[in-house]
Amino acid sequence: MASHFFLMVLFSCFVSVVFAALMRDKLEDQIRFGAMLFAAFLLTGVILGWLMYPIPL
Amino acid sequence: MTKYSRRSRAQAPLAGNVESPTTLICLVAWAVPGAGHLWQGRVSQGLVFMVTLPLMFATGLWLEGRIFFFDASEPLVALAAVANFGIGLLYLLGRVMDLGSGNAVAATYEYGNSFLIVAGLLNALVVVDAYDVSLGRK
């Protein structure tokens, strides 16, 4: 349940929803902006994860 | 109560427009996430904040994150406490109910902290937005 990926998705979801409601007024724009933000969060997270993959921890 | 309309705000200078309702709106917006927007008739936005931010805070507690106390000798802890405090009454409620003591050995501890801190910071942004709305900037 509390996997890293799930928590990243949950975090992205919360932040995207709040920012979409803050930054856009119309529902259509909010949905579009929120979806874009959510996708950007996930994509950035996955890309950074792969970039850090060779780093030994 | 003062009636706020876009036209009357545009005519009045901004500096003279800061009245006690604006201060009260900011206080209410801080205390209960989304309440400032609800007060000003932005129902859908208010409801989104009222559901999302407490849910995010509760998730942080579920992940065994810590609600930080203000401690000036530890700058990072102090900053985290300021961010936590942004969530309003939930911060005080969490302290009173002895929630958010944090479990540093839990795998989700840092995730929990992130959820708690970001929930507080987002509510601070919501308060600023409620302030802007009350001044007619949005």
Side-chain angles (χ1 to χ4, degrees):
Chain A
M1 180 73 177
S3 71
H4 292 224
F5 185 75
F6 171 72
L7 293 177
M8 184 180 75
V9 170
L10 199 62
F11 183 89
S12 308
C13 186
F14 283 137
V15 177
S16 304
V17 166
V18 172
F19 266 109
L22 270 179
M23 307 284 287
R24 299 288 185 268
D25 289 330
K26 289 182 187 170
L27 182 65
E28 257 180 41
D29 295 340
Q30 286 174 344
I31 292 172
R32 194 177 302 121
F33 184 71
M36 256 178 52
L37 208 57
F38 181 68
F41 263 122
L42 288 192
L43 200 66
T44 308
V46 170
I47 289 172
L48 282 178
W50 274 106
L51 287 177
M52 286 192 292
Y53 189 69
I55 300 173
L57 286 176
Chain B
M1 189 183 357
T2 308
K3 175 119 179 152
Y4 289 99
S5 71
R6 188 171 288 275
R7 174 168 289 186
S8 65
R9 279 189 302 261
Q11 288 168 347
L14 281 179
N17 218 4
V18 183
E19 299 163 355
S20 57
T22 301
T23 312
L24 204 57
I25 284 168
C26 290
L27 264 175
V28 168
W30 166 78
V32 180
H37 285 78
L38 284 179
W39 183 344
Q40 298 179 89
R42 299 203 168 201
V43 178
S44 59
Q45 272 184 315
L47 288 177
V48 165
F49 300 140
M50 199 168 266
V51 170
T52 311
L53 293 174
L55 203 58
M56 193 173 188
F57 191 79
T59 307
L61 292 179
W62 170 61
L63 295 172
E64 301 184 80
R66 178 179 162 200
I67 300 175
F68 290 93
F69 266 138
F70 188 81
D71 182 3
S73 65
E74 300 261 2
L76 289 179
V77 171
L79 283 174
V82 170
N84 280 162
F85 194 64
I87 198 67
L89 289 182
L90 285 175
Y91 175 87
L92 303 174
L93 198 67
R95 297 269 22 141
V96 168
M97 293 175 70
D98 206 22
L99 299 169
S101 51
N103 180 11
V105 295
T108 56
Y109 173 69
E110 292 297 343
Y111 291 98
N113 287 343
S114 300
F115 275 76
L116 291 170
I117 287 170
V118 172
L121 292 175
L122 286 175
N123 195 42
L125 282 178
V126 169
V127 171
V128 172
D129 193 65
Y131 176 74
D132 279 344
V133 171
S134 76
L135 290 186
R137 291 174 179 161
K138 288 188 78 179

